[in-house]
């Protein structure tokens, strides 16, 4: 910076006297002067020679000229028409810098200067021209930027500069990117057919979207009409015969008439309009108007009109056939070389197969993640419904309460990581408390009356939902996940899974183990199983059934709360959050087999993969997917009324 | 005496536990039979199999003159074919009157549409009264059966069985919880019923069985241990072992 | 036989009498035909309430008598509404289209009329084609048959599947809820052919009756609703009074025992489930022309849950209980949610009933289940008990009755 200032001072001293610009003009100034007219005119259509001249000058200062030009830093001195790079000193005065020497040559009043303002189209052209300089720029960041802009939008003129820049590239990563881009540009732009085919084959095992983007234009086709047979020398995909090959007569004729090769077909609208214009004394060409609600009569009247020359002739089917038979229709590749299109088709086929396999993998991952969400939503139920046999329709609302707890915590603790760590135990505590209260106040009085339990908990569910609406309003509340859960694990362009789903999968596994541990290894689990199987006997052995029921129910509810935090992280938190999961959760438990956690796991797996499978078959419609899934479950229960893993014999009860 | 019910080679297991093991059993058209056996001998499961509640893993259950297999029929079809069952615990419809209970059991068309349009006629009321007299509940016809005493419920259930006019009666512990006088009454009812149909009584109480005075089948671990008169089986060494423990 | 049936069931006569007097009173007080004491919209509300009482009776048959807690009857109700709605909307649109095309110089062809109707009806879902399910929409007779046929067939198929595999109790409830959810999700789609979440609208305009003002129409619908309720009530009372009633109550209390008596339980449940589904369809077909719009949200499981709430609050297992519950809860609900109930100012917080009514309903529902399992109908027992304490000389003891015992065994 200091250097520049000193330089500027020296320059100012040296050139204190105004000089005749022409005399001192360097080579770049010469080029600019040569094209001065079009530079000043600044039109995208005519500017090309000027840019090419600067870029192709081979002068080291070309890059800085282009950059200045692009940045609207190029000014013309009106007195002598010379171009300079100008820097603002104050609002009125500019310092002029010569392009060739890079030295400040003068200061000038703004009124004596004219700014060259290239429009965005020109700036883009300059940018393209700049790329080849930037590809060799000593700064790796600028090289990466240039490469990125190339990847977005390439041009055939850039293939050579790109190739030239590969060998000298020092950064291995950039070099790999350059090589890959070079292959893609070769596919699109290389003049040599063999080189293109080689590149196509080389890239045919690559799953990148950009590869497909490079290949797809090669196999793009247009439907063309030829009088007689298609001429030789075209790269024909196939000849279409009207009425066959999914190519209807109607669309064929429409193509013909659109191309002006045949008279337009008379539509029923056209008939009606023509008829309406020719009503005379309640008749059209002799046909009474009131009869014209019959389509056959309309044609009759229209034909008569046409015969009188008052309307375009009505086309008969025979005339249509005639017109069609004298033309041929063919799909033509835009790319003239058959060898290239064949190679591209084959490559796309190979890529499609690999993409299909990867999509299957992606689908499996998706299904797995959905299954773990269902499992998470259902695991609390597996305890309250599966083990205790208590049907709690407010379970969904416990999930909702957990999610809202997470939201409230996040309002108080802005740090997302900390807030999630606080929210999970807090959600457990809140819903544990709610569960215990529900058990003590309501469910306790209704043991062994499942239908009434169902109804009473419905009441609770309705009330809790409305309460949430009253407190939090009806709009969705966000529960933001910490940044480290924000991204996605990307395997390739097809397969990716967000970290949050992986976290939920992990959480589901954790809960599974927790459940197994509590039920099989702890005193509470033992007592729960005892109380569930025979409360009287358990009571006689010194277990307090009331306390055990309360704790177990609380546990199931608490887990629902944690599930709520997890679900809230990827779904919007609304008062209806629980409703969206409750039926599926019950289905998961019922399908899996009541009273068996492995069954619940299998049930979640089944339902998750089923839903994803149906969505894959009909991707536009998740509502339909849910509909069909529920129908499937209803039918499934026909064959395994007691679920996948069923208890047998007398233990199963009646 | 021709055979009404023939069970042969029937086995069933629950989660690996063999509840019935290659059991064979036959009963004639009009015969009273008692089945005894220690707990877990498979008495209830045996009845479950005949009435269609439990499907055996193997074996055959043949019924009537035409030797129809009962295994392919539903519980309701088996009941309509003529098998009546009384449960261990008295199960009557407590929310309904004695008369309604009996009317429901009365032998008539069981088809839902027929039932929808069916209204009791004079003969039906007479039949109900007849049965009620037999089981000693004629004064209680209009009372809800939930108000009846335990013994009365047992009788009502037997009355419902009789109203069904079954050809085979399966009676599970009819005397449980009854006073001696009530037992006497029950014995008379069963002996009377066995004159026109087959009756199988499952009972623990030896005194009750002695009063029935009939052939006895002893079940143990899901198969028949001994069969014959009560004196015969009580003299059997194995039976004594089973009952007294080895 | 009929005479003795009514003689045996005096409550039916009383009910019909009250219903008749009520209808008469509303007619006299109505805007359309009487003194104008009651607004047209309130007449509509009353008409709708009577229809809701009808579906509550149907619900009481399946739940109160046969013990099947169906959470699907509002789906049948909605389907009935859709069936009549299709004709109403088609015919009404056809009228409008024909009228507007009458001024065209060239009379329209049949196809042009149908196309124009299609554009009118399906424009909102970006389509103009008639889906296959609208095939019979131009025929009132066929759509009237479909009002009972569609819910009937759906109930038959679903019931056959469910009862055949012996799904009972809460499992059956969840399954019916799933069915309802599936149906409503299906209808929510735009390509279901029933206008997605827009539903069918403008149903209050009855084709060919444009000259009849809504104030009169509303009274006609009130009569129709009252008639339907009366017939439905009579029919239900007749069903439950005979041996069929005995059998279904037996099924509720001890399904296995009924089976061992030789009754095919599945057949009975199926018959009852299907019949009540048809009743619900009829109720729906009367309800939605009064409401004016039917959409998939009406079918959502929560509606069927509310239905269970009405029956439980009114008192299940007795037909008049269902009627009382439906009328009481839906009217009170209208009162609260309509903003007519005064807000309660607690000083620090104002309770607005529009927001808090649902909570009150939910909690009172819990309270009814816990403290008054017989519902409001139980009050009649108290009253009857005071009037005739010496009945049969013995206490009834029904509280330890078979109903609970059966559930205890599950």
């Amino acid at each position: 910076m200091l250097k520049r200032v000193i330089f500027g001072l020296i320059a100012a001293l040296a050139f204190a006297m105004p000089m005749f610009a022409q005399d001192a003009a360097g080579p770049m100034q010469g080029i600019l002067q040569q094209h001065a007219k079009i530079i000043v005119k600044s039109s995208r259509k005519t500017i090309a020679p000027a840019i090419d001249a600067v870029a192709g000058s081979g002068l080291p200062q070309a890059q800085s000229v282009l950059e200045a030009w692009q940045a609207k830093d190029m000014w013309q001195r009106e007195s002598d028409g010379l171009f300079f790079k100008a820097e603002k000193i104050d609002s009125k005065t500019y310092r002029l810098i010569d392009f060739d020497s890079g030295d400040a040559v003068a200061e000038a009043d703004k009124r004596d200067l004219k700014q060259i303002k290239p429009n965005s189209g020109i700036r883009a052209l300059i940018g393209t021209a700049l790329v080849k300089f930037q590809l060799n720029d000593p700064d790796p960041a600028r090289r990466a930027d240039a490469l990125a802009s190339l990847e977005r939008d390439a041009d055939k003129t850039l293939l050579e500069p790109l190739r030239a820049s590969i060998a000298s590239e020092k950064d291995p990563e950039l070099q790999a990117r350059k090589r890959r881009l070079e292959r893609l540009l070769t596919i699109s732009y290389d003049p040599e057919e063999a080189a293109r085919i080689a590149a196509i084959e080389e890239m045919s095992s690559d799953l990148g979207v950009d590869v497909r983007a490079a290949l797809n234009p090669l196999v793009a086709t247009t439907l063309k009409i030829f009088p007689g047979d298609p001429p030789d020398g075209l790269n024909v995909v196939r000849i279409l015969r009207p009425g066959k090959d999914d190519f209807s007569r109607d669309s064929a004729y429409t193509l013909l008439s659109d191309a002006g090769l045949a008279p337009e077909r008379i539509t029923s609208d056209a008939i009606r309009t023509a008829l309406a214009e020719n009503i005379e004394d309640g008749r059209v060409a002799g046909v009474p108007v009131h009869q014209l609600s019959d389509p056959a009569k309309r044609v009759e009247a229209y034909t008569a009109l046409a015969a009188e020359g008052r309307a375009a002739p009505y086309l008969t089917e025979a005339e249509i056939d005639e017109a069609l038979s004298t033309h041929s229709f063919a799909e033509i590749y835009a790319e003239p070389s058959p060898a290239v299109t064949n190679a591209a088709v084959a490559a796309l086929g190979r890529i499609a197969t690999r993409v299909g396999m990867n999509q299957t993998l992606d689908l499996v991952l998706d299904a797995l993640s959905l299954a773990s969400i269902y499992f998470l939503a259902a695991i609390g139920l597996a305890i309250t419904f599966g083990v205790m046999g208590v049907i709690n329709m407010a379970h969904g609302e416990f999930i909702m309460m957990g999610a809202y707890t997470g939201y409230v915590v996040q309002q108080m603790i802005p740090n997302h990581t900390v807030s999630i760590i606080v929210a999970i135990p807090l959600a457990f505590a809140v819903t544990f408390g709610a569960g215990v209260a529900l058990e003590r106040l309501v469910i306790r009085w209704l043991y062994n009356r499942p239908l009434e339990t169902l109804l009473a908990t419905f009441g609770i569910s309705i009330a809790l939902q409305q309460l949430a609406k009253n407190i939090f309003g009806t709009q969705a509340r966000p529960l933001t996940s910490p940044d480290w859960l924000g991204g996605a694990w990307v395997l390739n362009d097809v397969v990716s899974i967000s970290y949050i789903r992986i976290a939920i999968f992990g959480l589901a596994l954790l809960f599974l183990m927790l459940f197994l541990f509590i039920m099989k290894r702890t005193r509470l689990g033992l007592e729960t199983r005892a109380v569930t199987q025979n409360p009287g006997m358990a009571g006689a052995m010194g277990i307090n059934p009331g306390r055990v029921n309360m704790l177990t129910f609380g546990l199931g509810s608490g887990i629902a709360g944690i599930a709520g935090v997890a679900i809230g992280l990827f779904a919007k938190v609304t008062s209806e959050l629980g409703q969206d999961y409750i039926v599926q959760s019950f289905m998961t438990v019922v399908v899996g087999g009541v009273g068996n956690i492995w069954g619940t796991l299998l049930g979640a797996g089944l339902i998750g993969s089923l839903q994803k499978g149906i969505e894959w078959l009909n991707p536009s419609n998740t509502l339909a997917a849910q509909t069909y899934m529920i129908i499937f479950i209803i039918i499934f229960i026909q064959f395994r009324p007691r679920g996948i893993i069923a208890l047998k014999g007398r233990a199963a009860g009646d | 005496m021709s055979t009404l019910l023939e069970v042969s080679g029937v086995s069933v297991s629950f989660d690996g536990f063999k509840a019935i093991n290659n059991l064979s059993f036959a009963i004639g058209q009009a015969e009273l039979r008692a089945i005894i056996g220690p707990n877990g001998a498979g008495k209830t499961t045996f009845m479950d199999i005949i009435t269609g509640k439990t499907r055996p893993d193997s074996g055959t259950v043949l019924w009537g003159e035409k030797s129809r297999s009962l295994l392919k029929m539903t519980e309701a079809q088996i009941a309509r074919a003529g098998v009546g069952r009384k449960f261990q615990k008295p199960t009557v419809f407590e929310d309904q009157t004695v008369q309604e209970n009996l009317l429901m059991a009365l032998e008539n068309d069981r088809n839902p549409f027929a039932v929808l349009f069916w209204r009791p006629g004079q003969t039906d009321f007479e039949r109900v009264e007849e049965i009620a007299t037999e089981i000693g509940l004629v004064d209680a016809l209009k009372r809800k059966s939930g108000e009846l005493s335990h013994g009365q419920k047992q009788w009502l259930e037997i009355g419902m069985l009789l109203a069904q006019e079954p050809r085979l009666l399966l009676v599970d512990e009819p005397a449980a919880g009854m006073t001696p006088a009530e037992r006497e009454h029950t014995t008379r009812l069963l002996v009377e019923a066995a004159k026109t149909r087959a009756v199988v009584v499952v009972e623990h109480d030896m005194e009750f069985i002695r009063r029935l005075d009939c052939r006895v089948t002893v079940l143990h671990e899901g198969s028949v241990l001994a069969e014959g008169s009560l004196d015969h089986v009580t003299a059997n060494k194995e039976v004594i072992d089973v009952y007294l423990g080895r | 036989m009929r005479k003795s049936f009514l003689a045996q069931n005096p409550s039916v006569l009383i009910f019909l009498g009250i219903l008749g007097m009520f209808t008469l009173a509303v007619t006299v007080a109505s805007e359309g035909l009487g003194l104008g004491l009651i607004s047209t919209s309130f007449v509509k509300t009353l008409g709708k309430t009577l229809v809701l009482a009808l579906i509550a009776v149907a619900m009481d048959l399946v739940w109160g008598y046969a013990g099947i807690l169906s959470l699907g009857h509002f789906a049948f109700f909605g389907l009935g509404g859709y069936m009549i709605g299709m004709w109403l909307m088609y015919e009404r649109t056809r009228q409008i289209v024909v009228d507007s095309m009458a001024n065209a110089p060239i009379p329209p062809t049949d196809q042009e009329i149908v196309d124009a109707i299609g554009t009118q009806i399906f424009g909102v879902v970006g389509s103009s084609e008639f889906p296959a399910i609208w095939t019979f929409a131009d025929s009132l007779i066929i759509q009237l048959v479909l009002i009972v046929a569609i819910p009937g067939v759906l109930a038959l198929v679903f019931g056959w599947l469910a009862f055949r595999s012996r799904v009972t109790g809460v499992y059956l409830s969840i399954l019916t809820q799933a069915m309802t959810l599936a149906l409503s999700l299906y209808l929510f789609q735009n390509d279901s052919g029933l206008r997605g979440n827009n539903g069918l609208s403008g149903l209050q305009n009855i084709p060919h009756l444009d000259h009849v003002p809504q104030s009169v129409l509303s009274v006609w619908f009130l009569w129709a609703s009252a008639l339907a309720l009366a017939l439905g009530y009579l029919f239900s009372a007749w069903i439950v009074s005979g041996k069929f009633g005995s059998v279904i109550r037996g099924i509720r209390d001890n399904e296995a025992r009924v089976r061992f008596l030789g009754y095919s339980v599945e057949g009975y449940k199926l018959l009852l489930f299907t019949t009540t589904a048809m009743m619900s369809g009829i109720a729906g077909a009367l309800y939605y022309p009064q409401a004016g719009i039917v959409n998939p949200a009406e079918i959502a499981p929560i509606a069927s849950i509310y239905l269970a709430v009405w029956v439980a609050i009114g008192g299940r297992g007795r037909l008049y209980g269902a009627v009382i519950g439906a009328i009481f809860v839906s009217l009170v609900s209208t009162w609260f949610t309509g903003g007519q109930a005064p807000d309660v100012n607690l000083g620090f917080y104002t309770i607005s009933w529009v927001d808090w009514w649902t909570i009150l309903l939910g909690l009172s529902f819990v309270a009814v289940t816990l403290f008054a399992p017989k519902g409001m109908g139980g009050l009649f027992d108290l009253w009857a008990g005071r009037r005739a304490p010496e009945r049969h000389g013995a206490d009834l003891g029904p509280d330890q009755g078979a109903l609970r015992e059966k559930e205890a065994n599950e």
Side-chain angles (χ1 to χ4, degrees), chain A residues 475-628:
Chain A
Q475 77 268 46
R477 300 290 181 176
L479 181 56
T480 321
S481 54
D483 291 337
W484 47 270
L485 273 177
W489 181 52
V490 180
L491 206 63
N492 55 38
D493 275 7
V494 181
V495 186
S496 70
I497 182 165
S498 60
Y499 287 129
I500 198 148
R501 296 195 163 227
I502 298 176
I504 285 170
F505 181 75
L507 199 60
L509 279 184
L510 189 73
F511 274 156
L512 174 65
M513 285 185 286
L514 187 73
F515 179 94
L516 288 172
F517 174 76
I518 291 176
M519 283 300 148
K520 309 267 180 203
R521 289 272 182 275
T522 64
R523 179 91 196 160
L524 177 66
L526 183 70
E527 291 185 353
T528 304
R529 284 181 291 147
V531 168
T532 309
Q533 278 161 23
N534 191 337
M537 193 62 206
M541 308 207 37
I543 298 170
N544 178 351
R547 196 184 129 266
V548 169
N549 278 332
M550 182 180 81
L551 288 179
T552 316
F553 195 85
L555 180 69
S557 309
I559 290 181
I562 299 181
V565 176
I567 289 172
L569 284 179
F570 67 90
K572 285 269 179 268
V573 184
T574 67
S575 60
E576 268 118 28
L577 177 78
Q579 284 297 304
D580 299 340
Y581 289 92
I582 187 74
V583 174
Q584 275 89 342
S585 302
F586 272 111
M587 286 294 159
T588 303
V589 177
V590 171
V591 163
V594 172
N596 189 311
I597 191 68
W598 298 109
T600 307
L601 191 65
L602 282 176
L606 181 76
I607 290 180
S609 48
L610 203 65
Q611 182 160 347
K612 279 293 160 193
I614 299 171
E615 272 176 27
W616 177 72
L617 291 175
N618 182 5
S620 63
N621 215 328
T622 48
L623 285 179
Q626 289 192 31
T627 312
Y628 297 132

Side-chain angles (χ1 to χ4, degrees), chain B residues 85-98:
Chain B
R85 178 171 183 184
K86 192 203 133 333
F87 288 85
Q88 204 167 332
K89 224 166 95 185
T91 46
V92 294
F93 300 107
E94 312 211 349
D95 195 34
Q96 306 191 34
T97 64
V98 172

